Amino acid sequence: MASVETQDVVEGVVDHLLHINYDETTVLRLTTADAAEAITALGKALFGVRPGESLRLRGSWTQHPRHGRQLRVEQCERTMPADERAIRLYLASGMIRGIGPALASAIVDTFREHTLKVIDSEPTRLLEVHNIGAIRLGRITAAWQEQKTIAEIMLFLQNLGITPRLAVKIYTTYVDTDDDPIDIVRRTPYQLCRDVHGVGFHNADRIALAVGVPKHSAERLQAALLHELDKAGGQGHCHLPVRVLLAHTRHLLSDDDPATAEIIDDVVLRHALDTLREQGDVVTETLPLAVMDGTDAVADTEIAQLARCHRDETQLAWHVRRLLASSPALAELAPWDERLTALASTETAGLTGEQRQAIHNALTQPLSILTGGPGCGKTHTLRTLVEIADQAGAAVALAAPTGKAAKRMEETCGQEAMTVHRLIRPPDGDSLFDHAGVLETADVVVIDEASMIDLSLARRLLAAVRDGCHLLLVGDVDQLPSVGPGRVLRDLLDVEDIPRTRLTKVFRQHDDSAAIVTNAHRILHGELPRDDPRAFWNRCVPTPEDIAQRVVELVCELMPKHFEAHPEDVQVLCPGKKNIAGMSDLNLRLQERLNPPAPDKPQHYHDGKAFRLGDRVQQVRNNPHRGESGVFNGSSGTVTAVDGEAHQLTVTFTDAETAAYPFADLDELVHAYALTVHRSQGSEYPYVVVPVINAAGMMLLQRNLLYTAVTRARRGVMLIGQTEAVERAVSNNRTQRRNTALPHRITHPTSAVPIPRGQAPTGQLTLG
């Protein structure tokens, strides 16, 4: 237990970061302004600082029995470096793009304590420094002005709890526009919610209230309503009942303030919602209550959707009806039943009736679904489908939501497969990665891991499939739904007019995966998994801290040694992000063991996390403009370059493509030593370790989550944690219902006008 001494104010320069905890508590070494000593400082207020920054810290001195005297920081302010040493560290840290450590030393050696004044007011004098010419001078001058603007934004925001990362994001969002970022921050802060990814309502609201925007202003009410709809989308919902939306928004804005709650009532919020509807940001409509609760209720209820979500859902419904109403090109091409019977290769012998029906549907119906659990023969069915179609001269296009799933599909079917994003990517001229021609010539399109496909991707996929082409969606409906809004595969299965096949026979496995398949089905039926010495282990560890330590030992030492594998063959899958033994905590621990810092290993701190050469990372947002052909949610790779002078790092993905990330955009990446189970969908790993703790809570400890985690493994699964947590997960089959209206929109068409493949026809398409 640390003992508290006295409060103090300390100024100095950050030498290096010692540790950043999963709860954002940061520990660092700081050399005081007079260079008299180096101190240890810690606290959440330090989260996001970087080596080389000059800080003014206010806090209390404590005496730790093991680590000695420490400053527990309560307030942190950034300052400009004041002496030669601080300036040297500041410039060498890469804060100014175009200046690396060597050039920083040369500049400071030339101008000493006047360096920053020279850069600011007499930049042409930098030409006196060796290796600085006119071009480099221009880059440094521009970078200095950029840093000054960012520093101004930081200075304004630092007392509001807004991280420096967001100050940089605000600047980069508006730098190439006619908008002044400082002006927007001061005058229209709620605009940041829409324009700057990562700011969100809470940050914008703190800024707005600080600059004097009234609590009951129209801008605040509208931003809060949009925030609640965005938040619902993050939970998988496509819409909210208006009464629920108003209640959630009222609670968000009242902030336990009776006076505010009295002013902001449903009438005021309804007026703000109507304004958003008139502006085209939100769509409201009345739907049967049964759409929401899954009952036979006949009453109607009013719902609200973000305009983009309404567009995706209505257009997807239109395209489903379009495909179902189209004439399948292959239906009369060949006597498919005879071909299935005549196909005598050992690879396809012994098809079950269910498998034959799935193949028949795919070759005779414009849209069909194949679903089933592990070991039920989905892969064998697809391989047979490809073979029989090839023999008949029909072209088959294969795709999956992630690169790993596409690669696995390619290996099992013996034909090229690609990601769905690349399959449907529109032509953009001379790109070598345009695959639009595949869809123009394909007779059958097969999409694997379809449970991962969210509403937006499904809309774009079906819009890209031409009339007459056959579309087969393959997936395990018992797995977790998509990360994004919607539950497309399950919703399509609720439409009776769509042909579907569910494979139910579990085939005997002849390798180590037998135990994995058996236990996956046990979990699915509410039974506890059983240990198997070959491939499945369930180990009880009492406390979260012990679990976290044990996971690190398993990944770094025990499993690689026992199975003659590499640590990268073992993937940790967590129920959630937070808490000890959650994704954030385990990523920190595993990075420290598997890829520790070294003098020859460049790194960059972003939002409290070190992105280091050699780190395993995963993309968390679709960005079609990143790299040669876009980078999409779920893509995994390795950091292969960190360029402090150019302010960017490079990631090489599993499909061998590379993409550069400016430091300001690193919130598109997370470390991937440990992932949430949601983020592992579509991927398969040799070995999987699943830490299961009670702290994850009932919202995360669910049967389909544990089932999904187990089915990600090929050779072995280790469940490690608290026995009661595993029992709770297996018994908890109460999954959160997502608010979607897709089945209703398919079976009850309106005059919604989509934009499919050029210009969409107006009017309705009916089924049957």
Side-chain angles (χ1 to χ4, degrees):
M1 181 87 180
S3 59
V4 178
E5 294 181 4
T6 57
Q7 276 219 334
D8 201 355
V9 175
V10 177
E11 294 189 23
V13 179
V14 179
D15 279 332
H16 57 280
L17 304 183
L18 296 172
H19 180 68
I20 302 169
N21 203 8
Y22 71 95
D23 66 356
E24 300 185 354
T25 298
T26 301
V27 186
L28 56 79
R29 292 290 286 175
L30 182 118
T31 299
T32 56
D34 56 6
E37 62 175 330
I39 67 165
T40 300
L42 72 159
K44 292 187 178 182
L46 298 173
F47 183 72
V49 305
R50 293 190 288 172
E53 287 191 290
S54 294
L55 306 177
R56 180 182 295 114
L57 307 178
R58 184 182 303 276
S60 301
W61 289 104
T62 63
Q63 188 67 35
H64 192 278
R66 178 180 176 186
H67 301 295
R69 194 167 180 250
Q70 301 175 333
L71 182 69
R72 187 167 293 277
V73 177
E74 299 165 8
Q75 185 178 359
C76 170
E77 297 178 25
R78 286 165 173 80
T79 62
M80 288 303 291
D83 59 30
E84 185 178 324
R85 178 186 173 279
I87 293 169
R88 191 182 299 273
L89 286 171
Y90 173 72
L91 294 181
S93 69
M95 299 284 278
I96 309 299
R97 183 167 35 243
I99 301 179
L103 189 58
S105 292
I107 293 172
V108 177
D109 286 345
T110 302
F111 302 111
R112 300 298 179 183
E113 70 273 13
H114 304 296
T115 296
L116 297 186
K117 181 179 178 182
V118 168
I119 296 174
D120 188 44
S121 58
E122 302 176 90
T124 55
R125 290 192 59 195
L126 290 174
L127 294 171
E128 300 172 23
V129 181
H130 181 64
N131 279 336
I132 295 184
I135 295 177
R136 176 167 277 186
L137 172 64
R139 292 174 182 164
I140 293 173
T141 302
W144 175 256
Q145 293 304 319
E146 170 186 315
Q147 192 63 29
K148 281 182 64 178
T149 305
I150 293 172
E152 186 179 354
I153 299 172
M154 284 183 183
L155 184 64
F156 178 72
L157 298 178
Q158 66 181 2
N159 292 324
L160 300 176
I162 310 298
T163 67
R165 172 183 65 83
L166 287 182
V168 175
K169 292 287 286 185
I170 291 169
Y171 173 83
T172 55
T173 298
Y174 299 112
V175 65
D176 294 323
T177 70
D178 294 331
D179 296 316
D180 179 0
I182 287 290
D183 193 54
I184 290 172
V185 168
R186 294 180 181 275
R187 297 181 182 278
T188 57
Y190 290 111
Q191 184 179 338
L192 300 172
C193 295
R194 304 190 188 202
D195 295 347
V196 186
H197 180 81
V199 169
F201 174 78
H202 293 288
N203 285 324
D205 198 43
R206 282 203 296 272
I207 298 170
L209 296 179
V211 299
V213 176
K215 285 190 172 184
H216 57 279
S217 69
E219 295 83 359
R220 186 172 190 244
L221 304 186
Q222 292 167 23
L225 287 163
L226 292 174
H227 165 75
E228 287 298 332
L229 287 173
D230 261 328
K231 179 181 173 184
Q235 296 168 347
H237 299 300
C238 298
H239 63 254
L240 284 179
V242 167
R243 58 180 175 77
V244 174
L245 172 62
L246 299 184
H248 288 180
T249 306
R250 196 168 57 247
H251 177 73
L252 171 70
L253 295 175
S254 64
D255 196 27
D256 298 325
D257 182 355
T260 303
E262 187 174 335
I263 296 173
I264 302 175
D265 58 16
D266 279 357
V267 175
V268 174
L269 286 175
R270 181 67 209 223
H271 179 70
L273 182 61
D274 289 342
T275 301
L276 289 172
R277 179 178 53 78
E278 292 166 4
Q279 293 172 178
D281 296 313
V282 171
V283 175
T284 60
E285 59 185 319
T286 300
L287 292 178
L289 183 61
V291 172
M292 260 62 71
D293 59 19
T295 67
D296 295 327
V298 294
D300 289 341
T301 190
E302 187 181 21
I303 68 164
Q305 275 185 297
L306 292 172
R308 65 176 181 272
C309 203
H310 180 267
R311 174 206 64 194
D312 289 340
E313 199 167 50
T314 54
Q315 290 186 14
L316 175 57
W318 192 93
H319 287 297
V320 170
R321 297 195 303 275
R322 172 179 66 84
L323 290 180
L324 289 175
S326 67
S327 299
L330 296 180
E332 306 301 329
L333 179 64
W336 296 114
D337 286 331
E338 294 179 17
R339 285 187 176 275
L340 275 168
T341 303
L343 202 62
S345 69
T346 56
E347 278 292 304
T348 56
L351 288 173
T352 66
E354 293 170 340
Q355 291 173 315
R356 288 172 61 92
Q357 184 61 49
I359 296 172
H360 186 270
N361 285 345
L363 295 171
T364 60
Q365 300 294 327
L367 174 62
S368 60
I369 298 172
L370 169 61
T371 185
C376 290
K378 293 195 300 295
T379 298
H380 183 45
T381 305
L382 291 186
R383 193 161 48 228
T384 306
L385 169 63
V386 171
E387 185 174 344
I388 192 172
D390 184 61
Q391 288 186 3
V396 180
L398 305 177
T402 66
K404 285 187 175 181
K407 185 174 179 60
R408 188 169 68 251
M409 195 181 191
E410 184 173 301
E411 292 169 349
T412 57
C413 293
Q415 179 179 314
E416 181 188 6
M418 64 190 72
T419 64
V420 176
H421 294 93
R422 294 201 172 99
L423 176 72
I424 65 178
R425 185 171 186 244
D428 59 359
D430 299 326
S431 173
L432 295 176
F433 297 93
D434 290 336
H435 297 289
V438 174
L439 282 177
E440 296 298 334
T441 58
D443 298 304
V444 182
V445 174
V446 182
I447 307 297
D448 200 8
E449 296 286 357
S451 62
M452 291 181 61
I453 297 178
D454 63 14
L455 190 64
S456 175
L457 182 57
R459 188 264 303 173
R460 288 184 286 139
L461 169 64
L462 268 71
V465 177
R466 73 184 193 282
D467 288 351
C469 183
H470 299 236
L471 176 62
L472 172 63
L473 300 177
V474 183
D476 185 349
V477 75
D478 293 311
Q479 289 188 18
L480 290 170
S482 58
V483 175
R487 48 169 203 169
V488 173
L489 185 64
R490 185 174 291 276
D491 278 350
L492 293 179
L493 286 169
D494 286 341
V495 179
E496 292 182 1
D497 294 86
I498 300 177
R500 81 289 308 278
T501 307
R502 180 169 187 131
L503 303 181
T504 57
K505 180 181 178 180
V506 180
F507 292 90
R508 180 181 296 276
Q509 308 299 306
H510 300 287
D511 54 22
D512 288 345
S513 66
I516 298 172
V517 170
T518 299
N519 278 315
H521 285 279
R522 288 183 63 83
I523 292 168
L524 195 57
H525 292 99
E527 302 171 9
L528 288 173
R530 293 173 176 167
D531 273 15
D532 184 285
R534 296 170 300 170
F536 205 101
W537 308 272
N538 193 349
R539 296 292 180 266
C540 177
V541 179
T543 69
E545 179 60 36
D546 291 338
I547 292 169
Q549 292 180 11
R550 188 65 172 169
V551 166
V552 174
E553 290 177 6
L554 284 165
V555 174
C556 301
E557 301 171 17
L558 302 180
M559 293 182 76
K561 181 179 179 180
H562 182 77
F563 297 110
E564 296 183 354
H566 301 287
E568 53 266 30
D569 294 328
V570 185
Q571 181 63 56
V572 178
L573 300 180
C574 307
K577 297 179 183 178
K578 299 179 181 179
N579 303 311
I580 297 176
M583 185 188 91
S584 299
D585 177 47
L586 288 173
N587 265 321
L588 288 169
R589 295 173 188 251
L590 289 167
Q591 182 195 37
E592 188 175 338
R593 285 289 302 275
L594 296 174
N595 192 30
D600 61 344
K601 195 181 294 181
Q603 63 182 17
H604 174 75
Y605 277 94
H606 178 83
D607 207 18
K609 298 185 288 288
F611 286 90
R612 191 172 295 141
L613 185 68
D615 273 339
R616 289 158 56 183
V617 293
Q618 186 183 67
Q619 177 84 5
V620 296
R621 241 181 25 245
N622 292 335
N623 190 335
H625 307 295
R626 177 82 61 208
E628 287 281 346
S629 55
V631 183
F632 300 97
N633 193 355
S635 300
S636 297
T638 303
V639 177
T640 49
V642 180
D643 189 335
E645 189 168 327
H647 279 217
Q648 69 176 26
L649 60 76
T650 302
V651 176
T652 300
F653 292 95
T654 52
D655 58 5
E657 291 200 30
T658 62
Y661 290 77
F663 287 163
D665 292 344
L666 292 182
D667 52 353
E668 291 185 16
L669 296 172
V670 295
H671 290 93
Y673 300 99
L675 295 171
T676 62
V677 178
H678 268 98
R679 295 227 143 268
S680 73
Q681 286 179 270
S683 296
E684 194 176 70
Y685 313 95
Y687 302 96
V688 162
V689 175
V690 187
V692 191
I693 60 173
N694 282 319
M698 291 299 288
M699 287 295 290
L700 295 175
L701 292 178
Q702 296 177 348
R703 185 183 300 173
N704 62 347
L705 182 137
L706 189 60
Y707 170 77
T708 302
V710 167
T711 56
R712 298 306 89 201
R714 287 198 308 270
R715 301 178 196 162
V717 175
M718 170 71 77
L719 298 184
I720 182 164
Q722 297 162 308
T723 302
E724 59 270 30
V726 176
E727 294 171 349
R728 288 171 65 188
V730 171
S731 63
N732 180 15
N733 201 29
R734 299 192 305 273
T735 57
Q736 181 188 26
R737 180 177 175 84
R738 293 187 169 191
N739 294 337
T740 69
L742 181 60
H744 175 80
R745 297 191 192 282
I746 294 172
T747 55
H748 297 79
T750 67
S751 57
V753 181
I755 309 174
R757 301 178 63 81
Q759 291 299 316
T762 59
Q764 301 181 7
L765 285 171
T766 55
L767 301 180

